[in-house]
């Protein structure tokens, strides 16, 4: 225990040593932000203003929409058996998903962009931004895309007169497009330059990696037009990404196509052209089967026509030479029967050739439309349905492979279907080949039997039958092929896309972006959140003590009082400005002393802090002054032997003091100096000694204090910072009440642990906290006497007279 430490039973165990629970006072939190209300309102105004300006000058984006009816594929005869079987040989196709993939394919977008000729984009300058021109173009740029071109950057054209213009480079972000490698562009090695600045309309403009011609349409002198070149692959990729395709609902087979664009007419034209190319591609795939059939028939006709011509000439020559024109009745009967058999045999041979072509087609894995069996006279319903299904699956596979990789689930699933139905088709074709060959063999047998009857006829008639027989065979086959060719061409002419356009592209009247109301709301919210976030982060990162409530929660002793900021240059406002709010806070602290140490005629009070500059000397002087004003004989002792300050505030010379008494035989009464105020004396710290700690630890110091307490009512110790020196810990035992001074906006939050350690580990009792220089309002209801006083302050209904410093001095003090 420290020397002369009062008995704990007399002084009383500190009743305030209780564990405080952390809690969030919402009212305090609210008023902590409300003190920055001007900043928050300014940020909200700036946020709303920014959103308004963005809405005012942002480019309007419109949504263009259209719809397509997709006809679901119905299973043909035979294919439904595979779909419904548990063998999984042919599962139902996801027709909607496939059509979405086709519509969003790169190849289809490339065809649409090529048809619309969108490779040159024109712009006009606005007050803040530029906008694209699509209709009523003032100029037209013709580009030779068979040569390398500069794409990406912008050219600036200013019309000088009807015949000439000035051309310059507005944006030099160019890439080189090479038609031999259209999907990869490279950066130019050198900066892009023009050979001259003034050109004539219609003149070919050439440079390194660019060649184009600008033609006059409706440009006037002074008009400024910006334009840039865009290659077709880049445009196709752009529109492919921007196009949205989706069913209108899960049950419907209607697809909705939508595109958001700043140019409504351009969006409408692109979607309409895309739908047109989509239906044209579907029709081309359907016509391919008929074209293949016509090609096969033409190949057969080219061979049979020569035979027909030869047999016709031979028949005519034989009749002329032998003067035989008609057969006898018996010959006519035999010839008619033979003619029927030969016709059947010719048709069977045509079917046999078709089966062989179909077999070779399946064996070679060709990707193209197959000839329809029905056109070739094949009436087998299963074979017809299998060929139709196989052709459609192959077409789907081609389209899917053009848009997705081979590992895509849709591609792999469709490939499995193709292989399954191909296997069934090969088995069916092999069976049909065998049946047809058996039919031809049977027909040949019947023909040979009739040839026996022909041999019994006269030689002239027999020869005529042979020649006429050959002619009839060729004629029947020729007529049959012509008939099938006509049927294939009629089928081709009658082909129509199975899908159809329900609604052509139409743009909405109101823009979908910018969303003006939402942007204003976002601007308002950001204007509210950003300053609040800044304040929160600033408070979180702030290591200084500012909030009295937070300090009270951190220390394990009561925060007994708060001293307001002294707005005057006088450090003794209690004596020189008795009606100030600072003086009233010291009176409030004096009133609290009677509760902290009741029934004592003599009172010894100690003031210390964690570091220098927290205002312990200021508080010590003014507490001594407030006791002197009430007639108490008061002595202020400066015990900070290392860095004394009291002498300056009273205008005294620190030539002698406590260090003088402790280091010599001089009596303490000889170093007492009057302060100039009634009932208030002071013992200065004296000259700075080489061993201040050892001086204060002498028994002589305790004897001096004992004598002082006998002569003075109130003794005030102005001690050195306990966080910096060690001797202060020895001085707590001489005080009846000790105060640990914190300074708002100056003391570190970690300094509260120094006070807690004094209580928990140092055994210091009857010690309390004081918050000095309170000037930051951190919440509702604190004021200067938070918790214990009456909240006197600047807005306190005229109870106090405040001395205001000039604004520039106040600013320097805040810094």
């Amino acid at each position: 225990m420290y020397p002369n430490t009062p008995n704990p039973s007399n002084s009383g165990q500190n009743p305030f040593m209780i564990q405080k629970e952390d809690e969030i006072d919402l009212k305090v939190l609210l008023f902590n932000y409300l003190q920055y209300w001007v900043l928050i309102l300014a940020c909200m105004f700036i946020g709303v203003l920014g959103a308004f300006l963005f809405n005012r000058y942002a480019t309007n984006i419109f949504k263009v929409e259209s719809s397509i009816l997709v006809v679901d594929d119905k299973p043909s005869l035979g294919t439904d058996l595979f779909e419904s079987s548990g063998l999984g040989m042919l599962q139902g196709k996801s027709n909607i998903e496939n059509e979405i993939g086709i519509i969003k394919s790169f190849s289809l977008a490339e065809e649409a962009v090529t048809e619309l000729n969108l490779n040159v984009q024109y712009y006009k300058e606005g007050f803040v931004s530029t906008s694209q021109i699509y209709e009523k173009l003032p100029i037209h740029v013709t580009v030779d895309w068979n040569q390398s071109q500069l794409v990406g950057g912008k050219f600036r054209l200013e019309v000088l007169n009807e015949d000439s213009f000035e051309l310059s480079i507005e944006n030099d972000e160019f890439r080189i497009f090479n038609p031999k490698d259209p999907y990869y562009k490279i950066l130019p090695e050198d900066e892009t330059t023009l050979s001259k600045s003034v050109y004539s309309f219609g003149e070919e403009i050439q440079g390194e990696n660019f060649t184009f011609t600008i033609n006059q349409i409706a440009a006037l002198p002074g008009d400024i037009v910006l334009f840039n070149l865009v290659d077709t692959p880049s445009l196709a990729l752009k529109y492919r990404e921007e196009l949205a395709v989706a069913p209108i609902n899960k049950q419907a087979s209607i697809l909705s196509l939508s595109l958001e664009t700043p140019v409504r007419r351009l969006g409408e034209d692109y979607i309409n052209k895309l739908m047109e190319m989509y239906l044209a591609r579907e029709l081309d795939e359907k016509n391919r089967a008929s074209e293949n059939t016509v090609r096969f028939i033409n190949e057969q006709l080219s061979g049979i026509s020569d035979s027909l011509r030869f047999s016709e000439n031979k028949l005519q020559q034989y009749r002329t030479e032998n003067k035989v024109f008609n057969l006898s009745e018996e010959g006519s009967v035999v010839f008619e029967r033979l003619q029927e058999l030969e016709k059947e045999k010719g048709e069977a041979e045509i079917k046999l050739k078709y089966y062989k072509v179909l077999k070779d087609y399946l064996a070679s894995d060709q990707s193209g439309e197959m000839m329809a069996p029905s056109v070739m006279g094949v009436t087998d319903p299963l074979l017809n349905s299998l060929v139709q299904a196989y052709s459609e699956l192959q077409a789907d596979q081609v389209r899917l492979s053009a848009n997705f990789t081979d590992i895509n689930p849709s591609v792999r699933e469709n490939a499995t279907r193709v292989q399954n139905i191909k296997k069934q088709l090969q088995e069916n074709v092999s069976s049909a080949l065998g049946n047809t060959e058996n039919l031809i063999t049977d027909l040949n047998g019947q023909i040979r039997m009739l040839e026996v009857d022909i041999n019994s006829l006269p030689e002239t008639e027999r020869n005529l039958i042979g020649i006429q027989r050959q002619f009839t065979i060729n004629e029947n086959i020729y007529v049959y092929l012509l008939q099938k060719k006509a049927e294939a061409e009629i089928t081709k002419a009658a082909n129509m896309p199975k899908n159809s356009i329900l609604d052509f592209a139409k743009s909405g009247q109101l823009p979908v972006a910018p969303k003006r109301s939402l942007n204003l709301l976002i601007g308002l919210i950001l204007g509210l959140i950003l300053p609040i976030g800044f304040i929160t982060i600033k408070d979180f990162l702030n290591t200084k003590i500012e909030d009295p409530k937070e300090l009270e929660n951190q220390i394990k002793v009561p925060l007994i009082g708060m001293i307001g900021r002294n707005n005057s240059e006088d450090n003794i406002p209690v004596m020189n400005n008795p009606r100030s709010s600072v003086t009233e806070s010291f009176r409030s602290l004096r009133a609290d002393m009677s509760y902290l140490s009741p029934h004592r005629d003599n009172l010894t009070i100690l003031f210390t802090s964690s570091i220098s500059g927290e205002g312990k000397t200021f508080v010590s002087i003014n507490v001594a002054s407030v006791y002197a004003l009430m007639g108490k004989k008061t002595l202020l002792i400066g015990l900070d032997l290392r860095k004394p300050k009291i002498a300056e505030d009273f205008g005294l010379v620190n030539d002698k003091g406590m260090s003088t008494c402790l280091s010599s035989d001089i009596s303490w009464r000889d170093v007492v100096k009057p302060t100039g105020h009634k009932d208030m004396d002071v013992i200065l710290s004296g000259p700075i000694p080489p061993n201040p700690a050892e001086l204060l630890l002498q028994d002589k110091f305790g004897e001096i204090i004992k004598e002082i307490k006998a002569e003075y009512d109130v003794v005030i110790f102005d001690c050195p910072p306990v966080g910096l020196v060690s001797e202060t810990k020895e001085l707590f035992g001489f005080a009846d009440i000790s105060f640990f001074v914190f300074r708002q906006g100056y003391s570190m939050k970690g300094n509260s642990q120094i006070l807690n350690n004094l209580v928990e580990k140092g055994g210091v009792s009857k010690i309390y906290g004081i918050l000095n220089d309170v000037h930051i309002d951190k919440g509702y209801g604190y004021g200067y006497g938070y918790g214990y006083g009456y909240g006197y302050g600047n807005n306190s209904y005229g109870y106090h007279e405040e001395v205001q410093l000039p604004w520039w001095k106040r600013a320097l003090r805040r810094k």
Side-chain angles (χ1 to χ4, degrees):
M1 183 173 292
Y2 302 118
N4 298 330
T5 301
N7 192 323
S9 61
N10 297 330
S11 61
Q13 185 69 26
N14 193 343
F16 301 100
M17 281 295 299
I18 58 175
Q19 190 72 21
K20 300 177 183 178
E21 296 182 358
D22 292 336
E23 58 182 12
I24 298 176
D25 191 334
L26 295 180
K27 187 180 293 186
V28 171
L29 189 63
L30 175 62
F31 279 88
N32 179 38
Y33 291 115
L34 285 181
Q35 65 178 321
Y36 298 98
W37 66 271
V38 175
L39 172 65
I40 294 175
L41 285 180
C43 290
M44 292 173 65
F45 173 77
I46 293 173
V48 173
L49 179 62
F52 172 78
L53 293 176
F54 177 79
N55 290 337
R56 172 66 179 80
Y57 294 106
T59 302
N60 290 331
I61 304 297
F62 297 88
K63 187 173 185 179
V64 181
E65 293 181 293
S66 67
S67 58
I68 288 180
L69 174 63
V70 177
V71 179
D72 291 328
D73 291 333
K74 297 180 180 180
S76 304
L77 179 61
T79 59
D80 54 346
L81 299 178
F82 302 126
E83 292 177 0
S84 61
S85 67
L87 300 177
M89 297 170 61
L90 181 60
Q91 301 177 358
K93 297 186 296 181
S94 179
N95 195 47
I96 292 293
E97 295 298 326
N98 290 345
E99 298 305 314
I100 291 176
I102 295 169
I103 294 174
K104 285 185 66 66
S105 65
F106 172 81
S107 57
L108 196 64
E110 195 172 28
E111 292 176 11
V113 169
T114 303
E115 287 290 323
L116 289 174
N117 192 20
L118 302 177
N119 300 103
V120 182
Q121 297 176 343
Y122 305 87
Y123 301 88
K124 65 177 180 180
E125 288 184 322
F127 179 72
V128 174
S129 60
T130 60
S131 57
Q132 186 175 353
I133 312 171
Y134 180 66
E135 298 179 296
K136 299 179 180 179
L137 299 176
I139 61 172
H140 182 266
V141 180
T142 304
V143 184
D144 184 5
W145 289 103
N146 294 321
Q147 300 182 19
S148 297
Q149 296 291 348
L150 292 176
V151 297
K154 282 185 179 179
F155 293 92
R156 177 188 179 91
L157 182 148
E158 182 176 357
V159 181
L160 301 177
N161 50 55
E162 294 182 357
D163 300 323
S164 62
F165 58 89
E166 182 178 356
L167 188 66
S168 60
I169 295 174
E170 177 75 9
N171 187 340
D172 195 19
E173 298 179 358
F174 289 105
R175 298 291 186 273
I176 299 176
F177 168 78
N178 185 355
K180 297 180 180 178
D181 192 8
Y183 300 104
Y184 297 94
K185 293 177 282 293
I186 61 175
L187 287 170
E189 296 181 357
D190 301 321
E191 183 180 356
T192 303
T193 58
L194 299 172
S195 59
K196 57 182 180 178
S197 60
V198 178
Y199 295 87
S200 300
F201 286 109
E203 177 185 353
E204 188 177 68
I205 303 173
Q206 288 185 334
E208 187 176 2
N209 298 313
F210 65 90
T211 303
F212 54 84
T213 303
I214 301 178
N215 297 308
Q216 162 77 282
I217 297 179
L220 299 176
D223 287 351
I224 296 177
V225 181
L226 306 177
F227 67 91
N228 65 323
L229 311 182
V230 187
D231 57 287
T232 298
S234 297
L235 278 174
L237 285 173
K238 172 180 177 292
Y239 283 112
R240 178 192 178 191
E241 294 298 326
E242 294 177 352
L243 180 70
V245 184
I248 60 173
N249 56 57
K250 293 182 179 179
Q251 289 76 29
S253 59
I254 299 176
L255 295 179
S256 172
L257 282 67
S258 61
L259 180 69
E260 294 185 359
T261 174
V263 186
R264 288 185 283 183
R265 182 67 67 184
L266 174 59
E268 292 174 355
D269 289 348
Y270 174 75
I271 290 184
N272 287 333
K273 181 59 69 173
L274 187 73
M275 293 189 298
E276 177 186 335
M277 304 308 296
Y278 166 70
L279 296 181
R281 171 178 288 194
E282 180 188 349
L283 184 59
D284 289 341
E285 291 175 355
K286 282 192 170 186
N287 289 337
R288 196 173 301 133
S290 299
E291 292 172 356
N292 290 339
T293 303
V294 172
R295 188 181 304 111
F296 172 78
I297 294 175
N298 286 332
E299 291 175 358
Q300 305 304 315
L301 283 174
S302 64
I304 200 67
S305 59
D306 293 337
S307 300
L308 178 61
R309 192 178 303 107
F310 175 77
S311 57
E312 183 181 11
N313 293 335
K314 187 176 180 181
L315 176 61
Q316 183 178 0
Q317 181 180 2
Y318 183 81
R319 284 177 172 174
T320 303
E321 292 176 353
N322 296 280
K323 302 186 183 310
V324 178
F325 298 99
N326 297 317
L327 297 174
S328 63
E329 183 177 351
E330 181 181 0
S332 297
V333 172
V334 173
F335 180 74
E336 289 177 2
R337 177 58 181 159
L338 184 61
Q339 187 177 9
E340 292 176 1
L341 293 175
E342 293 286 0
K343 181 179 180 181
E344 292 180 20
K345 178 183 174 182
E347 293 177 358
E349 288 176 344
I350 293 296
K351 293 178 183 179
L352 184 64
K353 289 182 180 180
Y354 169 72
Y355 290 140
K356 289 181 179 180
V357 171
L358 185 57
K359 184 178 180 180
D360 294 340
Y361 176 89
L362 296 173
S364 62
D365 287 331
Q366 299 180 24
S367 58
E369 290 292 342
M370 301 169 59
M371 293 173 287
S374 57
V375 178
M376 300 310 301
V378 179
T379 58
D380 184 354
L382 180 58
L383 180 62
N384 275 279
S385 62
L386 288 174
V387 169
Q388 180 183 353
Y390 185 71
S391 298
E392 293 175 354
L393 287 174
Q394 268 200 322
D396 290 341
Q397 188 69 11
V398 171
R399 289 183 290 183
L400 290 172
S401 299
N403 302 305
F404 307 104
T405 61
D406 292 339
I407 62 174
N408 184 275
S410 298
V411 178
R412 296 173 62 182
E413 181 183 0
N414 197 76
T416 302
R417 295 174 184 166
V418 171
Q419 294 301 320
N420 289 337
I421 199 170
K422 177 182 178 181
K423 182 178 179 181
Q424 296 300 314
L425 188 55
Q426 286 175 330
E427 294 176 357
N428 195 278
V429 170
S430 297
S431 177
L433 270 171
N435 294 336
T436 305
E437 288 174 350
N438 291 336
L439 176 60
I440 293 174
T441 301
D442 182 63
L443 290 174
N444 286 332
Q446 296 183 45
I447 291 172
R448 282 193 296 271
M449 292 176 62
L450 285 176
E451 287 176 346
V452 174
D453 294 336
I454 293 175
N455 290 332
S456 62
L457 295 175
E459 181 181 358
T460 303
E461 191 170 359
R462 188 169 61 246
N463 292 336
L464 178 61
I465 289 176
I467 296 173
Q468 191 167 354
R469 171 188 173 188
Q470 187 63 39
F471 168 75
T472 305
I473 291 173
N474 292 331
E475 184 182 31
N476 290 336
I477 295 175
Y478 186 78
V479 171
Y480 176 78
L481 290 175
L482 286 178
Q483 178 184 354
K484 295 304 178 183
K485 179 181 178 181
E487 292 175 0
E489 290 177 342
I490 291 173
T491 302
K492 177 182 178 181
N495 278 340
M496 291 289 292
K498 63 181 180 181
N499 303 327
S500 60
I501 298 174
L502 286 183
D503 296 310
F504 286 95
K506 194 68 177 177
S507 170
Q509 297 300 315
L510 298 177
V512 296
K515 300 183 183 297
R516 287 173 168 77
S517 300
L518 180 61
N519 290 342
L520 291 174
L521 179 61
I522 292 175
L524 181 65
I525 294 175
L526 288 178
L528 178 65
I529 291 177
L530 290 179
I532 290 178
F534 171 77
I535 295 168
T536 303
I537 294 174
K538 181 180 73 70
D539 291 344
F540 178 77
L541 298 177
N542 185 19
T543 57
K544 303 295 182 64
I545 294 174
E546 290 186 354
D547 189 357
K549 183 74 172 179
E550 183 180 2
L551 176 62
E552 187 180 30
N553 290 332
Q554 288 178 350
I555 61 177
K556 298 185 181 298
V557 298
L559 180 65
I560 204 66
M562 288 185 284
I563 310 300
R565 165 162 283 190
N566 181 25
N567 289 324
S568 68
E569 295 183 343
D570 187 358
N571 281 340
I572 314 177
V574 170
M575 291 295 185
N576 301 323
N577 191 14
R579 295 191 61 187
S580 67
S581 61
V582 178
T583 301
E584 189 61 34
S585 62
F586 283 108
R587 291 193 185 105
S588 177
L589 182 61
R590 183 187 63 189
D592 290 335
M593 298 290 184
S594 60
Y595 298 100
L596 298 177
S597 184
H599 312 298
R600 296 185 69 92
D601 296 331
N602 298 88
L603 189 63
T604 304
I605 305 172
L606 181 149
F607 291 93
T608 187
S609 63
S610 57
I611 58 175
S612 178
E614 291 177 305
K616 60 177 181 55
T617 300
F618 170 77
V619 176
S620 301
I621 292 173
N622 284 279
V623 169
S625 300
V626 80
Y627 274 104
L629 285 176
M630 64 179 298
K632 294 284 185 178
K633 190 175 181 182
T634 305
L635 177 64
L636 174 63
I637 304 177
L639 296 179
D640 191 350
L641 305 185
R642 302 169 188 265
K643 195 175 180 180
K645 291 183 179 180
I646 295 178
E648 300 174 5
D649 295 327
F650 288 102
L652 301 175
V653 178
N654 189 25
D655 54 349
K656 59 182 180 178
M658 184 59 68
S659 64
T660 306
C661 298
L662 296 176
S663 61
S664 66
D665 295 332
I666 299 177
S667 171
W668 65 269
R669 293 179 178 86
D670 295 334
V671 298
V672 174
K673 294 186 177 184
T675 62
H677 301 289
K678 184 180 179 182
D679 297 324
M680 183 177 175
D681 296 329
V682 61
I683 296 180
L684 302 177
S685 60
I688 300 175
N691 55 343
E694 286 74 14
L695 288 178
L696 292 175
L697 294 178
Q698 298 180 70
D699 293 337
K700 184 178 181 180
F701 176 76
E703 296 172 358
I704 293 175
I705 296 302
K706 187 176 181 180
E707 294 177 3
I708 290 175
K709 287 184 178 182
E711 295 191 15
Y712 284 90
D713 298 326
V714 178
V715 179
I716 306 296
F717 291 168
D718 178 27
C719 298
V722 70
L724 299 179
V725 299
S726 59
E727 59 263 28
T728 304
K729 296 181 181 179
E730 307 295 333
L731 300 177
F732 285 113
F734 298 98
D736 300 317
I737 302 174
S738 300
F739 289 100
F740 197 99
V741 179
F742 298 93
R743 182 179 177 183
Q744 189 184 45
Y746 183 85
S747 301
M748 305 297 290
K749 293 180 179 179
N751 292 351
S752 61
Q753 191 59 37
I754 299 176
L755 175 57
N756 294 335
N757 289 337
L758 288 174
V759 176
E760 294 176 346
K761 301 177 182 179
V764 179
S765 61
K766 302 284 284 187
I767 187 169
Y768 306 96
I770 290 180
L771 183 60
N772 181 37
D773 195 26
V774 177
H775 60 283
I776 302 174
D777 187 5
K778 297 298 291 184
Y780 173 80
Y782 289 136
Y784 292 153
Y786 164 70
Y788 306 96
Y790 298 95
Y792 295 101
N794 294 337
N795 299 320
S796 50
Y797 305 99
Y799 283 114
H800 309 292
E801 295 177 356
E802 295 296 335
V803 178
Q804 295 292 334
L805 293 176
W807 67 268
W808 59 273
K809 289 189 176 182
R810 293 200 303 271
L812 290 175
R813 292 191 64 173
R814 281 196 293 269
K815 292 181 180 178

